Amino acid sequence: MDKAQMAEIYDRLHDAVYRTAFAYLRNRQDAEDITHDVFLQRFAREEPFPDGEQEKAWMLRVTINRCKDLLRSFRRKNSVPLEEAAQIPARTSDERAVWDAVNALPARYRILVHLHYAEGYTLREIAKMTHQTETAVQTQLYRARKRLRAILGEEFTL
Amino acid sequence: MNMNDYKHVTQRMHPSDACKHEILRAAAQNEQPRETRRQIFWKNLPVAAAGMAACLSLIVGGAFIWQNRADFAPRTQSQVPDVSAVTEEVGASLTTTATTLAQVAEVQTETAAQVQTTAEVQAVSQAAETAPAVSAETEIVTTKATTEAPVKAESRGTTAATIMTTAASEIKTTEVKTETNPLLQEVIIEDDTIPHRTLEEIGFIIVNMDCEEYHACEKKLMLDMFGEDGFNDSLENYAADKRMQFWREFAKRYGKNDELTESITIFLQTAFLIQKGDLSPEEGVSLIQNFNEGKTIPEEIIEKMNNNADLRLRRECSEGKDEDSQFTDMWETFTGIEWQMQYLMGEFYGYSDINNPFPGWWIVVYQY
């Protein structure tokens, strides 16, 4: 794979990989580290993908696995560092509130919310990506929404 | 306020430009993905251990020399002991040893002669088996030889049986790891009364229903117990004693207690002990393997399973924290357990669907 091909893949997928890693880890530096590793893993893979969507799904699956490994390896605390919170690009108070509420969810819910609402994946696709059953994903999303409603109150709609 | 707000914020997030350059540079240099901290830890462990062992040896050696420094100091002429007496003692000892060696040599010679005689007798007995005419003298020898033969055969048989047992046990071990768990097969439940005591104690209930059924049961029970007036969509909004009351009733109505739930419970409890650090992952695997083979689980482990798990949850969810933190703590704990569960399931069944490890079954985790 030459440099131009690598750059093309990076330009096409870097945001999705980075945002997914950030949704899981809530830390810029860690998310960039994961992005770095995931792309190196992608470039090392010689087997081609049938289409771009499958390639993206594969990369997000690798991202999630690497995030899990990272979290598992040194038991990160479930909190957003202050400097990170200040840099979050929310423009309105609503955006800020929803962002904070999603980030207050446990990691397993947060990643599902991100994949479904930000990346637009269906429950079935998420189930495949996260190695769970569709029912399990559905239930966790149900609980996540319930939790978000509890945090944000009646003003929050889906 | 809706999920689009989250999406909009997310869409404004990008990795730094430096990230792209770094990745492309690393790719051009054919670098491998970075190792995780865990991989680095294990990789460096032998070197670190060797280093520590060397340091420890130096310290111990230094301490020994310091303690016995008088022995290591240069000696004066008057301190050098008189060795002539010692030399005499050694000489006497050597003489005794030489005598003993001579006696041993004699015994060996005798033994060799006896061995030769035995060989001759065996040769005679073999000849007797094949000889057409049998004399009275050789008949006795033949009888001895024939009575010895079945004993040997039996002994060989025993050995073969031992080998077969070993082979069978090896095959059994492999089967545990590769084939479908027999406990996963459908279990007909006849007794669905009050579930196993420990299920309540450690904070989860195992039910046989899918997601929709579960939520319907949860709602129905809340209505039954608290009535229309007191009904609140979220159980978290009820006081702790009501929640506890609810879960006790839920366990009583819907919880299952049978061989399969026992197996699930063992997995969960083991995962819990690994997560807490009471067991190493390897010890956890061994514990489940013993359980599957019907071996007794040590008393102290059962005690830990029955007591500590619940206590830890309660402690984490109580000490001066607000409700959000309590909730997060609890989920962090259970996320950890799930990871351990995933590891254990992977070890035993080769798959790891952490949310649905036993298809068709639901593990309800509740909080106080």
Side-chain angles (χ1 to χ4, degrees):
Chain A
M1 193 179 291
D2 61 32
K3 199 170 177 180
Q5 283 174 307
M6 290 179 191
E8 185 276 319
I9 294 172
Y10 181 86
D11 290 340
R12 187 158 41 86
L13 295 170
H14 69 283
D15 278 341
V17 170
Y18 173 76
R19 289 165 189 167
T20 303
F22 191 92
Y24 217 113
L25 302 168
R26 295 183 298 186
N27 177 292
R28 256 170 218 279
Q29 191 57 49
D30 286 342
E32 287 200 356
D33 282 354
I34 295 289
T35 307
H36 181 280
D37 289 354
V38 170
F39 273 97
L40 287 192
Q41 197 169 335
R42 167 66 191 91
F43 297 152
R45 184 186 153 114
E46 288 171 5
E47 196 185 332
F49 289 96
D51 58 55
E53 273 310 305
Q54 290 199 32
E55 183 181 23
K56 184 180 172 187
W58 181 86
M59 290 190 75
L60 293 188
R61 192 158 61 235
V62 173
T63 304
I64 292 166
N65 289 340
R66 284 200 165 257
C67 288
K68 276 185 186 174
D69 281 347
L70 187 70
L71 280 178
R72 203 182 333 204
S73 64
F74 60 106
R75 297 181 181 215
R76 288 158 36 100
K77 288 281 178 191
N78 192 12
S79 60
V80 185
L82 283 177
E83 67 275 13
E84 291 292 339
Q87 288 171 10
I88 289 163
R91 287 180 185 162
T92 65
S93 58
D94 280 1
E95 282 183 356
R96 180 93 218 177
V98 177
W99 174 268
D100 287 345
V102 170
N103 279 283
L105 293 172
R108 51 187 259 172
Y109 288 173
R110 213 161 55 226
I111 194 66
L112 299 185
V113 167
H114 177 80
L115 291 173
H116 189 56
Y117 292 105
E119 299 296 334
Y121 282 106
T122 63
L123 298 186
R124 179 167 298 200
E125 287 165 335
I126 296 173
K128 203 171 166 191
M129 209 179 283
T130 56
H131 302 293
Q132 300 181 43
T133 62
E134 210 177 322
T135 316
V137 173
Q138 189 188 358
T139 305
Q140 288 178 86
L141 270 177
Y142 168 85
R143 288 179 182 165
R145 285 193 292 260
K146 200 169 156 184
R147 185 85 192 132
L148 287 175
R149 259 199 293 273
I151 297 171
L152 296 168
E154 293 302 317
E155 284 178 39
F156 176 71
T157 56
L158 290 175
Chain B
M1 196 191 292
N2 56 40
M3 286 311 293
N4 280 335
D5 290 316
Y6 172 78
K7 192 175 175 182
H8 292 153
V9 179
T10 307
Q11 282 173 345
R12 287 182 216 121
M13 298 191 72
H14 312 282
S16 63
D17 290 340
C19 186
K20 179 178 180 178
H21 296 305
E22 172 64 18
I23 289 170
L24 293 179
R25 184 203 58 76
Q29 290 180 358
N30 208 16
E31 284 180 16
Q32 295 303 308
R34 271 175 252 178
E35 291 166 299
T36 62
R37 285 170 175 78
R38 176 180 284 191
Q39 287 168 325
I40 292 167
F41 172 78
W42 287 112
K43 195 172 135 189
N44 292 332
L45 188 61
V47 178
M52 282 175 71
C55 286
L56 200 62
S57 307
L58 277 175
I59 292 166
V60 172
F64 177 78
I65 290 171
W66 178 252
Q67 280 224 316
N68 300 284
R69 55 191 179 281
D71 295 340
F72 289 93
R75 295 179 180 187
T76 60
Q77 187 62 36
S78 61
Q79 286 175 313
V80 177
D82 181 8
V83 295
S84 59
V86 178
T87 313
E88 276 174 26
E89 268 182 38
V90 171
S93 170
L94 282 172
T95 312
T96 315
T97 311
T99 313
T100 314
L101 282 172
Q103 285 169 349
V104 170
E106 276 175 28
V107 171
Q108 281 179 341
T109 314
E110 278 177 26
T111 313
Q114 282 171 0
V115 168
Q116 194 179 356
T117 314
T118 312
E120 281 167 8
V121 170
Q122 281 178 346
V124 169
S125 72
Q126 281 173 359
E129 277 183 4
T130 50
V134 179
S135 69
E137 196 181 347
T138 54
E139 198 172 1
I140 298 164
V141 180
T142 312
T143 313
K144 275 188 184 173
T146 47
T147 50
E148 267 180 19
V151 174
K152 282 181 184 168
E154 191 184 331
S155 148
R156 274 197 298 276
T158 313
T159 313
T162 313
I163 292 165
M164 281 172 72
T165 313
T166 314
S169 70
E170 278 167 9
I171 291 163
K172 198 178 172 189
T173 312
T174 316
E175 278 172 356
V176 167
K177 286 200 171 228
T178 54
E179 288 197 356
T180 312
N181 176 19
L183 289 174
L184 287 177
Q185 289 162 9
E186 195 175 351
V187 179
I188 299 166
I189 300 144
E190 292 173 353
D191 176 16
D192 60 354
T193 54
I194 298 173
H196 199 271
R197 185 173 55 83
T198 54
L199 294 185
E200 282 193 18
E201 285 180 345
I202 62 171
F204 49 82
I205 304 165
I206 297 162
V207 292
N208 181 205
M209 55 179 76
D210 65 18
C211 164
E212 284 76 19
E213 278 178 296
Y214 163 71
H215 289 301
C217 290
E218 190 186 57
K219 189 174 176 182
K220 184 176 181 301
L221 186 58
M222 277 199 279
L223 281 170
D224 287 354
M225 288 179 71
F226 308 129
E228 287 281 355
D229 294 340
F231 177 73
N232 192 315
D233 184 42
S234 174
L235 193 66
E236 291 156 31
N237 296 327
Y238 288 101
D241 59 333
K242 280 202 164 186
R243 288 205 298 263
M244 195 62 226
Q245 192 190 344
F246 174 86
W247 287 118
R248 282 188 188 287
E249 186 58 28
F250 190 91
K252 198 172 165 184
R253 276 203 204 179
Y254 305 111
K256 298 293 179 194
N257 181 25
D258 54 23
E259 197 184 352
L260 180 59
T261 51
E262 192 184 2
S263 179
I264 298 172
T265 307
I266 288 291
F267 264 88
L268 273 171
Q269 287 173 324
T270 307
F272 208 118
L273 292 182
I274 296 173
Q275 174 65 14
K276 283 178 63 195
D278 283 348
L279 287 179
S280 71
E282 292 76 19
E283 286 170 331
V285 171
S286 166
L287 180 78
I288 294 176
Q289 201 151 8
N290 285 344
F291 173 79
N292 283 347
E293 288 167 6
K295 291 180 188 164
T296 315
I297 294 175
E299 277 298 322
E300 67 268 21
I301 299 287
I302 293 178
E303 201 173 321
K304 277 180 185 173
M305 285 177 165
N306 285 342
N307 298 328
N308 294 351
D310 183 36
L311 291 176
R312 177 187 157 122
L313 265 187
R314 283 176 185 231
R315 191 170 60 245
E316 280 196 351
C317 293
S318 63
E319 287 175 355
K321 293 181 176 176
D322 59 32
E323 200 180 331
D324 275 358
S325 305
Q326 288 176 19
F327 187 85
T328 306
D329 275 354
M330 193 193 71
W331 274 113
E332 286 287 292
T333 307
F334 278 110
T335 305
I337 294 169
E338 279 176 350
W339 277 331
Q340 303 305 347
M341 185 94 174
Q342 186 178 24
Y343 161 75
L344 291 172
M345 300 304 291
E347 279 292 305
F348 279 86
Y349 307 126
Y351 74 93
S352 54
D353 181 353
I354 54 173
N355 290 289
N356 194 12
F358 293 85
W361 292 77
W362 197 257
I363 297 164
V364 181
V365 179
Y366 64 86
Q367 69 177 126
Y368 296 108

